Amino acid sequence: MSHPILAQITQGVQDSLICEMSRLAVSKKALNLAEGLPDYDPPSWVLEAYQRVLSEGKDLHQLRNTWGAVETREAVSSYYQRFYGLDYEPETQVTITCGATEGLYLALKALINAGDEVIVFEPFYEPYHDLVKSLGAIPVFYTLTAPDFQIEADTLNALITPKTKAIVLNNPNNPTGRVLSKTELQTLADAAIHNNLWCLSDEVYDQLLYEGRTFTPLASLAGMAERTVTLGSCSKLISATGWRVGWAVGSPELTHALRGLHDLSTAGTNTFFQLVAAEALNAYTPALQAEVQAVYAEKRRLALDVLLAMGIDEGKARRYLPEGAYYVWLDLRDTLGVEDELVWAMKLINTVGISVVPGCTFVQGESSGFVRICFAKEASTLQEAVRRLGM
Ligand code: PMP
């Protein structure tokens, strides 16, 4: 008997290997160093904001403005002004989304037509590739090469054609851990302005920087604010992945388009955590930023212990510690002489009880030779990983 068939766009969309490794970690009772998911609560000042809203907040149960609660849009706007001197008008330029994930989807849907080419840097955050393809657009990959993963103007410009519509960027980068230099950002800006392209700048890790690095939003470069949609999220900024509160900020024209699609999809994320997010963002000062960075620097130091426990030489292991975000992007061939990342990752979960993500999910081909290890974990989890590796 014949049956109705699914939409064509679903056929190209792969199951997430990150989520699969996370599910396997649960079913095999392994340590989950796979998913970018903290195994701890947000910091105390965020939990205090939560308690304040819970006890004093009013009108917490009904949907607010679908663009986002006004308090939250104002808090996001003030965050960009405070940290980066950027002006986003809450009424016309800020949309609160169901995590940066929804922002990513809406922004691409608002910018891209079927048949358009979209520049995607490889290795890429897992969903970018399928997302672009699901819109009937063509991902054009700029393959960045280890160990520096640098963006070069000539290579970028050679990929741009009359069909190119947008550049998708993640900075600080998941999975490579790179934080782009001002020169690289200027290269991107020059290419975008010269070819009249949109830029989607996924900056969810903007605060997670190491060894005194600073962060420059792409939209802060001359001529970029009007052509850049920037994504942020409480998931990474304040370690609250379960709130599902993110945002997309950009020009009024783009925001208008994106809000129309947002109203058709989720029509708003939950009111309660939007209001907690507003309180927490307003409380986020440079002093707290330094505190958060110190906490993550310690986790990064423990990640080095994990690499050493794998038998990697210290000089080499140190070179794999990231500049930003909270992942180690480890070249298995270079460090351990291992060829097949899938086989290695499955052996690690089955015999040692540690789950990581095989790098193949961040590249186009079957294999990358890398694995991604997340260190947004309690010290005790990372220490247990060291213990298991030493057994
Ligand atoms: N962008 C990047 C680069 C990410 O790493 C993640 C989460 N892993 C997201 C977006 C999605 O974040 P959210 O939880 O806010 O949807």
Side-chain angles (χ1 to χ4, degrees):
M1 202 172 73
S2 65
H3 58 82
I5 53 172
L6 293 165
Q8 213 171 356
I9 63 159
T10 62
Q11 289 168 17
V13 178
Q14 310 283 322
D15 289 340
S16 160
L17 189 55
I18 300 176
C19 296
E20 181 57 22
M21 292 310 290
S22 208
R23 279 190 290 266
L24 278 180
V26 174
S27 67
K28 292 177 183 286
K29 298 192 171 36
L31 301 174
N32 187 357
L33 307 191
E35 199 165 358
L37 194 67
D39 61 353
Y40 41 86
D41 282 344
S44 58
W45 50 275
V46 176
L47 298 179
E48 283 156 21
Y50 168 90
Q51 283 302 339
R52 267 199 310 280
V53 176
L54 193 60
S55 56
E56 298 162 20
K58 302 216 166 28
D59 184 16
L60 301 180
H61 299 281
Q62 309 306 334
L63 179 68
R64 296 286 181 95
N65 189 323
T66 61
W67 306 337
V70 68
E71 297 92 321
T72 319
R73 282 183 283 128
E74 281 171 1
V76 168
S77 170
S78 149
Y79 171 79
Y80 282 103
Q81 173 53 237
R82 224 165 47 245
F83 281 92
Y84 304 117
L86 288 170
D87 289 317
Y88 290 108
E89 165 57 44
E91 206 49 25
T92 56
Q93 297 189 271
V94 180
T95 308
I96 307 301
T97 54
C98 187
T101 302
E102 191 204 352
L104 188 60
Y105 188 70
L106 297 177
L108 281 174
K109 222 169 153 53
L111 301 180
I112 309 296
N113 288 314
D116 287 343
E117 293 179 358
V118 179
I119 308 269
V120 176
F121 295 95
E122 182 190 32
F124 43 78
Y125 172 50
E126 195 187 43
Y128 292 173
H129 178 202
D130 281 350
L131 209 46
V132 170
K133 279 202 315 188
S134 76
L135 297 171
I138 303 151
V140 174
F141 294 98
Y142 181 149
T143 303
L144 299 168
T145 47
D148 297 333
F149 302 101
Q150 292 257 357
I151 296 176
E152 306 284 351
D154 290 349
T155 316
L156 177 63
N157 291 330
L159 295 174
I160 296 171
T161 76
K163 285 188 169 174
T164 310
K165 185 77 179 292
I167 299 175
V168 176
L169 180 73
N170 173 216
N171 183 37
N173 191 266
N174 169 11
T176 67
R178 276 231 48 221
V179 180
L180 294 182
S181 67
K182 292 227 168 98
T183 310
E184 289 169 293
L185 289 169
Q186 194 57 56
T187 295
L188 285 161
D190 290 345
I193 292 166
H194 184 73
N195 298 286
N196 197 24
L197 307 179
W198 287 105
C199 287
L200 191 157
S201 197
D202 178 344
E203 300 180 358
V204 295
Y205 298 101
D206 65 336
Q207 296 284 343
L208 297 180
L209 307 164
Y210 305 102
E211 298 178 339
R213 287 187 181 77
T214 53
F215 178 74
T216 306
L218 185 64
S220 67
L221 275 71
M224 290 305 288
E226 58 266 36
R227 61 178 67 253
T228 303
V229 52
T230 302
L231 304 177
S233 172
C234 287
S235 293
K236 314 297 172 180
L237 190 65
I238 42 185
S239 307
T241 54
W243 292 6
R244 310 312 299 141
V245 177
W247 49 88
V249 297
S251 69
E253 178 206 8
L254 173 78
T255 300
H256 178 75
L258 191 142
R259 285 176 176 176
L261 297 167
H262 170 75
D263 285 359
L264 290 174
S265 55
T266 63
T269 192
N270 70 89
T271 296
F272 178 72
F273 280 114
Q274 286 194 60
L275 299 181
V276 181
E279 290 261 333
L281 283 175
N282 286 333
Y284 200 97
T285 57
L288 287 173
Q289 175 189 30
E291 219 174 83
V292 168
Q293 291 186 351
V295 167
Y296 278 91
E298 174 58 14
K299 295 186 188 304
R300 182 175 175 266
R301 199 193 59 70
L302 291 168
L304 176 66
D305 291 346
V306 173
L307 298 184
L308 299 181
M310 285 175 175
I312 300 171
D313 157 82
E314 181 166 353
K316 214 166 227 187
R318 281 188 185 280
R319 289 205 290 278
Y320 284 90
L321 296 180
E323 297 171 349
Y326 48 47
Y327 307 96
V328 172
W329 180 237
L330 186 69
D331 184 340
L332 292 180
R333 286 180 203 130
D334 178 46
T335 53
L336 295 170
V338 169
E339 286 298 324
D340 191 324
E341 74 234 40
L342 259 176
V343 169
W344 188 84
M346 289 318 293
K347 195 165 160 211
L348 191 71
I349 194 169
N350 288 327
T351 63
V352 185
I354 298 176
S355 183
V356 298
V357 185
C360 51
T361 198
F362 304 94
V363 299
Q364 305 167 68
E366 299 282 289
S367 157
S368 67
F370 285 73
V371 288
R372 191 192 77 173
I373 304 166
C374 175
F375 58 83
K377 307 293 163 183
E378 289 277 20
S380 57
T381 308
L382 297 167
Q383 283 154 354
E384 174 61 12
V386 171
R387 195 188 67 78
R388 291 187 186 189
L389 285 159
M391 277 169 42

